[in-house]
Amino acid sequence: MSRRTLSRALTFVLALAAGTAAAGASAPAAPIPKAPGHRLVDDYSGAPAAAQPLPGAQPPQHPYLAANGRSGMHADGWGSATYPWSGPLGDHPQTGSERMALLGGECANVTFDRSGRIVTVCGTFSGFLVKLLDPHSLATLAEYQLPQRPSTVEAITRLDFSRIFKDTSGGAYSYLDDQDRLVLADSRQHILRLSHRQKADGRWEFTVTDAWDLTGQVPHDCVTWTDLHPTGTCDPVTSVMPDWQGRIWWVTRQGRVGTVDPATGTIRSVRLPGEEIQNSFSVAADGVSIVSDHALYEFTAAADGTPAVVWRQTYDRGTGTKPGSVNQGSGTTPDIFGDGGRYVAITDNADDRMHVLVYRRGTDVPAGRRLVCEIPVFGSGASTTDNSLISWGDSLVVENNYGYEDITSLTFGRSVVGGVTRIDVRRDGSGCDTAWVSDERSPSVVPKLSTGNGLIYLYTKDPDALGIDAWYLTAVDFRSGRTRWKQLLGTGIGYDNNWAPITLGPDGTAYVGVFNGLATVRDGG
């Protein structure tokens, strides 16, 4: 079966599933099924690692976010992708999973409330679901239905489900705030703040405590089932994050940058003409770092909340979108890092080899000195990433996503060219050096680092001559780049990660968002 034929077949199945979901049917709680062949591949390789905590200071705690490691996809306000506690060490690891829908159900973001319960957003074809989960059984305690995204309607009506997999809007980039409330932008250009509570009868529920309507400043003539051919403009909101003064910042795909003052409801915005924003962004006490498909920006807010550009730095955006990228531009959420947050890092989209770019963040830095380094990574003609970097101390870790586009990309035993690299900024700030290179193939996951044990967690898939699609949680030593162990989570499309993150829970469990829901690995030794 060719990839095109498979894509058409899957599109038809997705359309049927969407119709089933719209009719109100739901899948019973069950593990994600494994495709044939899971008994023919290694279940585990390597050996347990000894915890070797990393020296250094954690990113500062953002006053309006849940505790570091609990708040969102990139773990903290700086976007470090690090956790202060240990993840699994590979000691007799035990795996589990929960299927969140008949088809689809991927949990794109995992956060933890103060009691350790999971607050997540999972994508289904009838709309995203905000879910409260038991962290051990993954049982659903409560859920809240978000409106269906226009991209889903387009995928079904135009038989092109790639639209779904390249859409970063609708709630995927959400965050848990300092009061355990989930904040997100839905597909109707509203920012919602949801709380969860246990009722007198013991059941849990979500409640919308606040809602802010952005449609006065964001075009919203979007495709719906009742209007399949709108004549206006639709500009989806892609991400939200608070600044250190409590404003909620938001960005849209078509380059709008705005703020909401939760106390007054005042909304302010500006437009980056001709630019697109598909990634999330990071915030420090002194500013907000946002990357478009043309440039990296540092923003602050004026007294009335209007976003103001502090500096702008263009980068090499290449001549087209690579396989493994959502658009023609950087695929990374900016990483703020270094002593006091003095640096910010992204990747570019240069044609031959992608570069890791490090910049000085200071407002008094001359334009000619803002760039610290641009380090080419991975092979010629096969180099891109659409995931955030890991940052710790003065080090960065980047993975190669070249060749991954959607859940049909790696079927029948195929994989990506792969590669993972650590880059270190020199202590005197004079440049950067490559510390190590790993050959691991981590096609699309948002990787994470446990500073509590010194392990980087990847989600890998190797080529298989028998056509088995086997997906592994893989632990790599941060210091050396050596692979320590691999644990099979499952086989087949249901376990394809499709751009979701690895998340390390406070109890040491690793959670991986996969196409059919959420999978787990925890030590059992």
Side-chain angles (χ1 to χ4, degrees):
M1 181 183 289
S2 70
R3 181 176 169 190
R4 178 173 293 180
T5 302
L6 176 66
S7 295
R8 287 175 176 171
L10 280 172
T11 301
F12 178 69
V13 173
L14 295 182
L16 289 178
T20 303
S26 60
I32 299 169
K34 296 180 175 68
H38 65 275
R39 299 186 188 280
L40 301 178
V41 295
D42 289 338
D43 186 64
Y44 178 84
S45 63
Q52 299 183 49
L54 297 174
Q58 300 288 330
Q61 177 58 52
H62 191 299
Y64 291 95
L65 286 177
N68 285 355
R70 294 175 178 260
S71 63
M73 186 179 295
H74 301 304
D76 50 61
W78 281 12
S80 74
T82 66
Y83 294 83
W85 45 75
S86 178
L89 294 169
D91 185 7
H92 298 87
Q94 305 296 308
T95 63
S97 66
E98 183 70 11
R99 190 177 186 178
M100 299 297 174
L102 288 170
L103 195 65
E106 178 177 310
C107 297
N109 191 18
V110 174
T111 65
F112 304 93
D113 69 12
R114 289 182 179 87
S115 298
R117 288 177 291 264
I118 293 173
V119 185
T120 183
V121 179
C122 304
T124 75
F125 291 94
S126 61
F128 280 11
L129 291 173
V130 179
K131 281 180 167 280
L132 184 68
L133 305 179
D134 181 283
H136 304 291
S137 68
L138 300 184
T140 297
L141 305 176
E143 67 181 29
Y144 179 86
Q145 177 82 53
L146 295 172
Q148 193 171 51
R149 298 188 301 172
S151 61
T152 303
V153 180
E154 291 176 326
I156 296 168
T157 57
R158 302 178 188 182
L159 294 183
D160 179 10
F161 76 96
S162 66
R163 294 174 181 271
I164 298 172
F165 301 122
K166 292 184 179 293
D167 184 1
T168 58
S169 70
Y173 285 124
S174 53
Y175 69 86
L176 200 69
D177 73 7
D178 59 315
Q179 298 182 46
D180 279 349
R181 298 171 298 188
L182 192 72
V183 183
L184 56 85
D186 69 16
S187 61
R188 294 177 181 171
Q189 286 87 355
H190 285 68
I191 294 178
L192 306 180
R193 194 156 61 183
L194 297 98
S195 64
H196 57 277
R197 70 179 185 92
Q198 191 170 25
K199 299 187 291 185
D201 62 6
R203 292 181 298 170
W204 289 84
E205 67 174 357
F206 283 104
T207 302
V208 176
T209 58
D210 300 280
W212 296 278
D213 184 352
L214 305 182
T215 57
Q217 302 192 34
V218 179
H220 55 281
D221 193 8
C222 304
V223 173
T224 65
W225 289 114
T226 57
D227 186 4
L228 295 177
H229 303 285
T231 58
T233 300
C234 177
D235 188 9
V237 182
T238 51
S239 185
V240 292
M241 279 284 283
D243 65 18
W244 285 52
Q245 289 70 47
R247 303 180 196 88
I248 300 172
W249 286 64
W250 49 271
V251 296
T252 73
R253 183 178 302 159
Q254 295 176 15
R256 289 175 171 83
V257 179
T259 68
V260 174
D261 184 337
T264 64
T266 301
I267 301 171
R268 296 284 186 267
S269 67
V270 297
R271 178 87 185 273
L272 308 179
E275 300 185 31
E276 187 175 277
I277 302 172
Q278 286 278 22
N279 302 295
S280 189
F281 52 95
S282 297
V283 289
D286 57 350
V288 177
S289 296
I290 296 174
V291 66
S292 76
D293 61 344
H294 284 72
L296 174 66
Y297 291 83
E298 188 76 8
F299 278 91
T300 58
D304 68 349
T306 302
V309 175
V310 178
W311 55 261
R312 178 182 189 266
Q313 188 80 33
T314 59
Y315 59 85
D316 186 348
R317 64 191 299 264
T319 57
T321 301
K322 299 176 183 178
S325 299
V326 171
N327 65 358
Q328 184 187 337
S330 176
T332 52
T333 293
D335 270 62
I336 298 170
F337 71 107
D339 185 23
R342 60 179 173 170
Y343 298 131
V344 59
I346 59 170
T347 60
D348 66 14
N349 190 49
D351 285 338
D352 184 49
R353 296 178 72 191
M354 174 181 71
H355 299 80
V356 173
L357 307 174
V358 177
Y359 300 94
R360 297 176 177 88
R361 290 185 61 245
T363 58
D364 57 350
V365 176
R369 279 188 41 79
R370 190 162 299 283
L371 181 66
V372 176
C373 64
E374 50 180 342
I375 303 295
V377 288
F378 312 125
S380 176
S383 173
T384 192
T385 193
D386 212 69
N387 280 312
S388 175
L389 305 168
I390 295 171
S391 54
W392 179 252
D394 285 341
S395 297
L396 300 163
V397 177
V398 58
E399 70 178 20
N400 189 7
N401 301 143
Y402 189 91
Y404 183 91
E405 295 187 88
D406 56 50
I407 61 169
T408 68
S409 301
L410 305 184
T411 52
F412 309 119
R414 295 174 294 177
S415 190
V416 293
V417 294
V420 182
T421 297
R422 178 178 139 188
I423 303 295
D424 291 351
V425 181
R426 297 171 193 157
R427 290 190 177 184
D428 62 1
S430 62
C432 305
D433 300 295
T434 300
W436 51 254
V437 176
S438 165
D439 293 330
E440 289 293 349
R441 304 170 192 249
S442 187
S444 70
V445 82
V446 183
K448 296 297 171 61
L449 168 66
S450 165
T451 62
N453 65 22
L455 295 177
I456 297 166
Y457 294 90
L458 308 171
Y459 194 54
T460 62
K461 184 181 188 292
D462 291 328
D464 188 273
L466 298 177
I468 300 169
D469 299 318
W471 293 89
Y472 290 85
L473 182 71
T474 297
V476 171
D477 190 297
F478 174 81
R479 293 175 172 88
S480 67
R482 172 190 166 200
T483 298
R484 302 304 299 270
W485 53 267
K486 296 187 175 190
Q487 172 61 49
L488 179 71
L489 267 76
T491 51
I493 284 176
Y495 284 90
D496 188 314
N497 168 253
N498 193 55
W499 305 118
I502 295 169
T503 305
L504 303 182
D507 66 350
T509 301
Y511 299 87
V512 185
V514 296
F515 180 61
N516 267 166
L518 192 62
T520 62
V521 177
R522 51 175 58 95
D523 285 332

